[in-house]
């Protein structure tokens, strides 16, 4: 009985040695390959981002945008955004209205250990001064689910389709309702112009993606279109 037990014990102890030198070498090789691939991906991403940045700067300059510097006078909301440590780009331009663009990028890390994850966020804002007489307000998008269960939130505009998709809120909500002409509401519902807000008499549109060669001018044109409708002589009745 003791002999059988001893043999079984020796077999049990021998089991962990099933991985030979060749298997260990293969495992190490696979780890090195993944590490090299990760480095290649990081380097390639950096090269791609730098190329896109050069292309964007060149395109912006060709379209009449110039880098915003600290000595240039700008409205308060623009100055505050440009001073942020998250600022990646700050541009200015002159159309029928002065325009500014500020792009923020930052990363957030959540969790710990194996559950730790990092996410990159972008915030691109366009700024356009409206002048005196405009109160602070936001016109923000609503979710389809929210619009289904509560067709109107806040003051409402009297336009059922618009009120299901957008919420007007802030000190200037009553003024905004008057300024949201049928033309402007239709353009927002069609996606031709963005949701917007007014802060310190500055019209602002926001995007959760970085600026690009494709979006730089169309987004500026869309904000100008909003400004035209808000300042039209017939706006607000």
């Amino acid at each position: 009985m003791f002999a059988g037990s001893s043999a079984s014990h020796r077999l049990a102890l021998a089991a962990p040695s099933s991985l030979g030198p060749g298997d260990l070498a293969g495992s190490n090789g696979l780890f090195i390959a993944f590490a090299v691939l990760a480095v290649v991906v990081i380097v390639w991403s950096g090269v791609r981002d730098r190329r896109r940045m050069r292309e964007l700067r060149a395109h912006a300059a060709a379209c009449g945008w110039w880098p915003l510097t600290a000595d240039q006078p700008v409205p308060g909301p623009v100055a505050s955004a440009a001073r942020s440590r998250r600022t990646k780009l700050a541009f200015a331009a002159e159309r029928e209205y002065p325009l500014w663009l500020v792009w923020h990028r930052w990363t957030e890390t959540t969790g710990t250990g194996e559950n730790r994850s990092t996410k990159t966020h972008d915030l691109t804002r366009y700024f356009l001064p409206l002048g005196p007489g405009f109160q602070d307000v936001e016109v923000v998008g609503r979710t389809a689910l929210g619009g289904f269960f509560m067709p109107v939130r806040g003051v409402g505009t009297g336009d059922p389709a618009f009120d299901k998709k957008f919420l007007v809120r802030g000190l200037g909500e009553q003024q905004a309702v008057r300024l949201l002409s049928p033309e402007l509401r239709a353009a927002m519902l069609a996606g031709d112009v963005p949701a917007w807000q007014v802060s310190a008499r500055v019209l602002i549109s926001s995007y959760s993606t970085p600026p690009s060669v494709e979006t730089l001018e169309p987004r500026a044109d869309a904000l100008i279109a909003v400004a035209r409708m808000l300042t039209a002589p017939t706006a607000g009745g």
Side-chain angles (χ1 to χ4, degrees):
M1 181 177 71
F2 288 104
S5 176
S6 176
S8 175
H9 182 61
R10 285 196 298 272
L11 287 173
L13 292 176
S17 63
S18 58
L19 287 177
D23 296 315
L24 292 175
S27 178
N28 289 338
L30 186 62
F31 174 79
I32 292 172
F34 277 120
V36 170
L37 179 61
V39 171
V40 170
V41 169
I42 292 172
V43 172
W44 179 82
S45 297
V47 171
R48 180 197 58 188
D49 289 344
R50 287 192 292 272
R51 184 183 71 250
R52 287 179 176 175
M53 185 71 78
R54 288 195 300 269
E55 292 173 350
L56 176 60
R57 289 182 182 276
H59 178 71
C63 294
W65 295 83
W66 64 86
L68 184 63
T69 57
D71 60 336
Q72 296 178 29
V74 296
V78 181
S80 178
R83 283 195 302 265
S84 171
R85 290 181 296 177
R86 296 174 173 179
T87 300
K88 299 289 290 183
L89 279 178
F91 286 150
E94 188 71 38
R95 303 287 191 268
E96 59 187 276
Y97 302 89
L99 286 170
W100 295 273
L101 177 153
V102 180
W103 168 35
H104 288 172
R105 169 168 284 182
W106 69 98
T107 58
E108 290 183 353
T109 301
T110 58
T112 58
E114 295 181 355
N115 296 322
R116 184 177 180 181
S117 63
T118 301
K119 185 176 182 180
T120 299
H121 299 271
D122 292 286
L123 174 62
T124 303
R125 283 176 290 179
Y126 287 75
F127 303 83
L128 182 158
L130 288 174
F134 287 87
Q135 300 171 343
D136 288 5
V137 71
E138 287 183 291
V139 183
V140 298
R142 301 184 62 196
T143 65
L145 189 62
F148 176 80
F149 285 108
M150 187 178 293
V152 181
R153 279 191 61 197
V155 292
T157 64
D159 181 336
F162 185 87
D163 291 336
K164 283 184 178 181
K165 294 196 66 173
F166 295 97
L167 165 66
V168 182
R169 64 188 181 193
L171 295 176
E173 60 186 19
Q174 295 292 346
Q175 181 189 58
V177 168
R178 294 194 301 271
L179 294 174
L180 279 162
S181 63
E183 180 187 13
L184 179 51
R185 295 198 305 271
M188 293 182 68
L189 284 170
D192 296 332
V193 300
W196 49 273
Q197 69 177 104
V198 176
S199 176
R201 299 180 299 279
V202 175
L203 180 64
I204 305 169
S205 59
S206 303
Y207 300 88
S208 60
T209 54
S212 67
V213 169
E214 294 77 19
T215 63
L216 178 68
E217 284 294 286
R219 290 175 174 178
D221 292 340
L223 190 62
I224 290 173
V226 174
R228 287 174 182 158
M229 287 183 272
L230 288 176
T231 58
T234 56

